[in-house]
Amino acid sequence: MDILYLMILCSVSLAVVFLVVFIVFARKGQFEDDESPAVRILFDSDEIKEKEDTGNNSDKKKGDNNKFEEKSE
């Protein structure tokens, strides 16, 4: 029976800790911007720029691969 009281005390204290952490982050504004993280992926254009940049350097990569093939032969 004593373990039951200990488990209740631990669970209530853990719930209070989570509640305090939630209140602290809610006051800091952690949960105010709900829409932009979901929409941000739709407007991400960094990958397109990276693909264009790597397309120009493909000749260097082919040359490097040829060097490795020549060494292996």
Side-chain angles (χ1 to χ4, degrees):
M1 192 68 177
D2 292 335
I3 193 72
L4 186 62
Y5 295 132
L6 180 65
M7 289 178 66
I8 291 172
L9 179 66
C10 289
S11 64
V12 169
S13 63
L14 187 64
V16 169
V17 167
F18 281 129
L19 180 66
V20 168
V21 168
F22 175 75
I23 290 172
V24 166
F25 284 123
R27 285 188 180 176
K28 287 184 179 180
Q30 179 75 24
F31 306 112
E32 288 183 8
D33 191 15
D34 293 337
E35 189 173 330
S36 69
V39 178
R40 185 181 339 150
I41 195 166
L42 300 175
F43 299 111
D44 193 8
S45 62
D46 293 336
E47 290 182 325
I48 296 170
K49 290 179 184 176
E50 290 176 6
K51 287 181 183 178
E52 290 174 358
D53 292 340
T54 57
N56 295 337
N57 296 332
S58 63
D59 295 334
K60 292 179 182 177
K61 290 182 181 178
K62 289 179 183 175
D64 292 338
N65 290 338
N66 290 338
K67 289 179 186 176
F68 290 121
E69 290 176 6
E70 289 174 6
K71 291 180 182 178
S72 65
E73 291 177 1

